[in-house]
Amino acid sequence: MSGKKDKHECQCQTGVTRRGFLSSVGTGAVVASAAGQVQAAPGSSPVLITGETVPVKLLINGREHRLLVEPRWSLLFVLREKLGLTGTKMGCGQGECGACTVLVNDEPRYACLTLAVEAEGFKVTTVEGLMNGEELGPVQQAFVEHDAFQCGYCTPGQVMAAEGLLRSNPTPNAAQIQAGMSGNLCRCGAYAHIFPAVAKAAELRRKGGQS
Ligand code: FES
Ligand code: FES
């Protein structure tokens, strides 16, 4: 899991970071009341009320979604609970397991650590977005061929991590595959099948003309 934070924590390349967003909405200048509302501290202007929503435009799997979201909602919550994209799984909810991995501008990110509002202006890809109609994408196909799962709960995240790895490095060696997949845990311990599946996926992608 070394380097996990660099790679997976929400630091969308050119966008707003989680920390940057919080300061942009004036979190540093507000105080929580006993009723759970947030009020402006004396001399400051921004006020954020618990439960308030803001409009956001998200591009997910090539489709634009206009939503009202609470600024505190994670991308994972919005994907699963508001858009019904339940392929992305909730595991630890705190950036440890990788079950929630999606691609943001082709890079693997933990959706549980990404605020939905941070994803605006970026291209989000979930495991559903790897399908070609009813056909599996090459990474999914390789995982099936290599039996690279047992319970399958971690599998969507593993597939997305592999997809992200192969989009940035179409010909990874064994060490690069292990490093690229190091942010994704498999409680069933299917690694002996997962790593060969990623190598096979690289081959299938090359044959399919994907680089
Ligand atoms: S659910 Fe996001 S890393 Fe575990
Ligand atoms: S297949 Fe069960 S957790 Fe990975």
Side-chain angles (χ1 to χ4, degrees), residues 21-198:
F21 170 75
L22 290 174
S23 51
S24 75
V25 296
T27 306
V30 297
V31 292
S33 73
Q37 291 194 335
V38 182
Q39 301 172 333
S44 64
S45 51
V47 176
L48 196 64
I49 307 290
T50 303
E52 256 184 15
T53 56
V54 294
V56 71
K57 198 164 57 180
L58 298 177
L59 183 61
I60 299 168
N61 300 332
R63 189 174 154 205
E64 188 178 284
H65 298 266
R66 291 170 185 266
L67 301 158
L68 288 172
V69 304
E70 291 188 34
R72 67 189 175 93
W73 286 352
S74 70
L75 179 60
L76 176 62
F77 175 79
V78 170
L79 288 173
R80 290 183 55 84
E81 307 300 332
K82 300 297 173 187
L83 296 175
L85 294 168
T86 53
T88 307
K89 301 302 180 203
M90 160 67 119
C92 64
Q94 54 186 22
E96 294 293 336
C97 70
C100 64
T101 302
V102 298
L103 302 186
V104 176
N105 277 8
D106 294 329
E107 291 187 10
R109 299 288 173 206
Y110 290 155
C112 71
L113 292 188
T114 305
L115 293 173
V117 292
E118 287 180 293
E120 185 163 37
F122 296 90
K123 185 180 73 172
V124 177
T125 309
T126 70
V127 71
E128 290 91 346
L130 301 188
M131 298 289 292
N132 181 15
E134 289 300 304
E135 264 179 50
L136 297 176
V139 178
Q140 295 161 309
Q141 185 61 42
F143 269 63
V144 171
E145 284 180 22
H146 280 265
D147 207 12
F149 39 76
Q150 288 184 37
C151 77
Y153 196 80
C154 72
T155 308
Q158 303 278 3
V159 165
M160 295 314 293
E163 181 73 25
L165 168 67
L166 297 177
R167 286 187 187 189
S168 66
N169 178 4
T171 55
N173 60 32
Q176 289 167 331
I177 288 173
Q178 288 192 19
M181 301 299 291
S182 63
N184 292 70
L185 303 181
C186 175
R187 200 169 173 187
C188 299
Y191 303 107
H193 292 239
I194 290 171
F195 297 147
V198 178

